[in-house]
Amino acid sequence: KWKGEGTTRNLESIVIGRCYDYIRIVNPDVGEKNCSEIWKAFKNAFINKDPCSILPQDYELFINLSFHTIPPNKSLFWENNHLLVNSFAGRGRRYMSLADTLFGFLGDFLNWCGQENSTELDYESCPTTEECKTNAVESFWRMASVTYAQHSSGVIHVLLNGSAVGGAYPVPGFFADFEIPNLQKDKVSQIVIWVVDDLEGPDIDSCGTHTVEILQNRLENLGFDVTCNDNYKPVMLLLCLD
């Protein structure tokens, strides 16, 4: 029916298992969380509904139950380099990207949707963002991104891909549309942008040029203190290692 892949098999076991993994092993500092209630709130956001009419606010209870503070100076925003960010952040050891928060960790790399007038998950197909923007996964990440940006503080880091087709700073994009507008100016001391090219890739974008210049200007016009580094060495070393 839909063009996207269906719900990830064993979704309930994965989400509840990830929840316990996070609060017991990955980041016990967040304290006790009710993993079965978190799963219930997650599922109730989209189950028994038209899979194209799920709104970000439908995940509000899920976010409230899974929320915890994000340490200052640890936030790491990104575009076009999901795997690199995951390994560079080191599950919160170096930085805490959205996927290193409990609410982001629970959804990372998963797919899901329900069906209208049914309490079953749809394992066959789910709508893509092209088919409708208000689908279960897109709305989940919008809500998670807004929450993450609102609670980020201190020095904010942004890792962009200088080899990305169309530029390092995509507009529209999650960082442009949901995260920048929700950064709290009084909480953010500085924004550090890292533009890193793929090792074998073209150098399409750099600090002060093309889309990165657009981003720098936007952030400066909003009153942020912005610095930018090309091919930040620790990230390059990690790319070489991989």
Side-chain angles (χ1 to χ4, degrees):
K1 180 183 160 189
W2 302 107
K3 291 185 182 136
E5 60 179 273
T7 299
T8 307
R9 299 270 167 191
N10 309 103
L11 184 71
E12 179 176 354
S13 302
I14 294 170
V15 171
I16 292 175
R18 282 185 177 186
C19 179
Y20 283 116
D21 183 29
Y22 192 91
I23 65 171
R24 297 285 176 257
I25 298 160
V26 177
N27 189 5
D29 291 349
V30 302
E32 272 309 302
K33 299 286 180 191
N34 189 328
C35 291
S36 50
E37 284 299 311
I38 287 172
W39 160 254
K40 210 182 291 179
F42 173 76
K43 186 178 174 183
N44 286 342
F46 63 89
I47 209 74
N48 220 346
K49 297 177 188 173
D50 171 358
C52 269
S53 63
I54 315 298
L55 301 172
Q57 52 266 38
D58 292 338
Y59 288 99
E60 209 165 315
L61 177 59
F62 164 80
I63 291 285
N64 290 343
L65 291 173
S66 58
F67 182 77
H68 56 87
T69 55
I70 296 160
N73 312 316
K74 284 269 196 172
S75 291
L76 177 61
F77 295 85
W78 58 274
E79 284 284 5
N80 295 316
N81 45 28
H82 193 164
L83 289 169
L84 176 61
V85 164
N86 280 16
S87 63
F88 184 53
R91 277 190 157 191
R93 238 171 0 106
R94 297 187 195 95
Y95 295 95
M96 188 178 279
S97 71
L98 176 51
D100 304 304
T101 65
L102 174 56
F103 48 96
F105 189 74
L106 295 178
D108 205 25
F109 292 113
L110 300 179
N111 205 49
W112 63 89
C113 67
Q115 309 171 57
E116 204 165 9
N117 304 322
S118 166
T119 55
E120 298 300 309
L121 300 168
D122 190 338
Y123 293 103
E124 300 311 311
S125 66
C126 291
T128 62
T129 303
E130 288 69 46
E131 288 175 286
C132 59
K133 284 195 164 53
T134 49
N135 68 58
V137 175
E138 180 83 5
S139 290
F140 173 90
W141 288 114
R142 287 186 180 191
M143 186 68 179
S145 291
V146 166
T147 306
Y148 179 68
Q150 286 172 339
H151 295 277
S152 290
S153 63
V155 180
I156 302 284
H157 308 85
V158 187
L159 182 55
L160 301 176
N161 185 341
S163 299
V165 178
Y169 168 61
V171 180
F174 271 78
F175 184 53
D177 298 343
F178 307 110
E179 291 169 340
I180 292 174
N182 285 290
L183 291 173
Q184 308 294 299
K185 199 169 160 299
D186 55 333
K187 286 201 222 165
V188 177
S189 56
Q190 189 184 32
I191 298 179
V192 178
I193 302 167
W194 295 317
V195 185
V196 176
D197 300 330
D198 295 339
L199 288 184
E200 306 295 324
D203 177 9
I204 294 174
D205 228 335
S206 310
C207 294
T209 64
H210 306 307
T211 68
V212 183
E213 185 180 25
I214 293 167
L215 170 61
Q216 288 173 266
N217 290 339
R218 178 181 179 186
L219 293 171
E220 282 164 3
N221 289 338
L222 288 170
F224 291 108
D225 173 16
V226 183
T227 62
C228 187
N229 296 297
D230 283 313
N231 292 325
Y232 180 57
K233 200 157 184 197
V235 182
M236 295 303 287
L237 292 171
L238 190 59
L239 281 173
C240 292
L241 187 65
D242 283 346

